Amino acid sequence: MTSDNFDFAWNLLIKLYDNKRVIMANHIDAVLQAHVSTTDSAQSLQGLLSAIIEYVTALKALSLQVDQWDMLLLHVLEKCMDQALRKHWEL
C-alpha cells in the first residue's frame, strides 16, 4: 500500500457506493418489503410506520419527490398489516 494507490481506491469506493439510483432503489425496495409483526399491538404498527417514515425521509434527502406518495404509502402500509391489524384499520 502506498499513497499512490489512494486516489485509485477512493475513486473505486465512490463508484461502488455513491450511485444515487442504486441507493434510491434500495430505499424503495425497503418500503415495499416492509412488514409488521403478527402481534396486534400499537407498538408493532408504530415500528412499521417508523420504518416507512425513515425510508421516505432518506428518499426525500436524495431529492426524490415524495410529496405526492400519500395514497401509495397508505396502500403499502395496509398490505404490510396482518389480518388482525387490518380489521382495526377498516373501522
Side-chain angles (χ1 to χ4, degrees), residues 20-31 33 55 59:
K20 193 173 180 179
R21 186 191 61 77
V22 171
I23 294 168
M24 285 182 184
N26 287 333
H27 286 300
I28 292 169
D29 285 343
V31 168
Q33 295 169 4
Y55 297 126
L59 289 166

Side-chain angles (χ1 to χ4, degrees), residues 55-67:
Y55 297 126
V56 171
T57 301
L59 289 166
K60 195 172 190 174
L62 291 165
S63 302
L64 191 63
Q65 297 297 318
V66 297
D67 296 333

Side-chain angles (χ1 to χ4, degrees), residues 52-82:
I52 290 177
I53 288 171
E54 179 182 332
Y55 297 126
V56 171
T57 301
L59 289 166
K60 195 172 190 174
L62 291 165
S63 302
L64 191 63
Q65 297 297 318
V66 297
D67 296 333
Q68 301 295 318
W69 285 19
D70 295 351
M71 288 305 300
L72 173 69
L73 292 173
L74 285 173
H75 182 73
V76 169
L77 185 63
E78 183 179 5
K79 293 295 181 186
C80 294
M81 294 180 196
D82 67 0

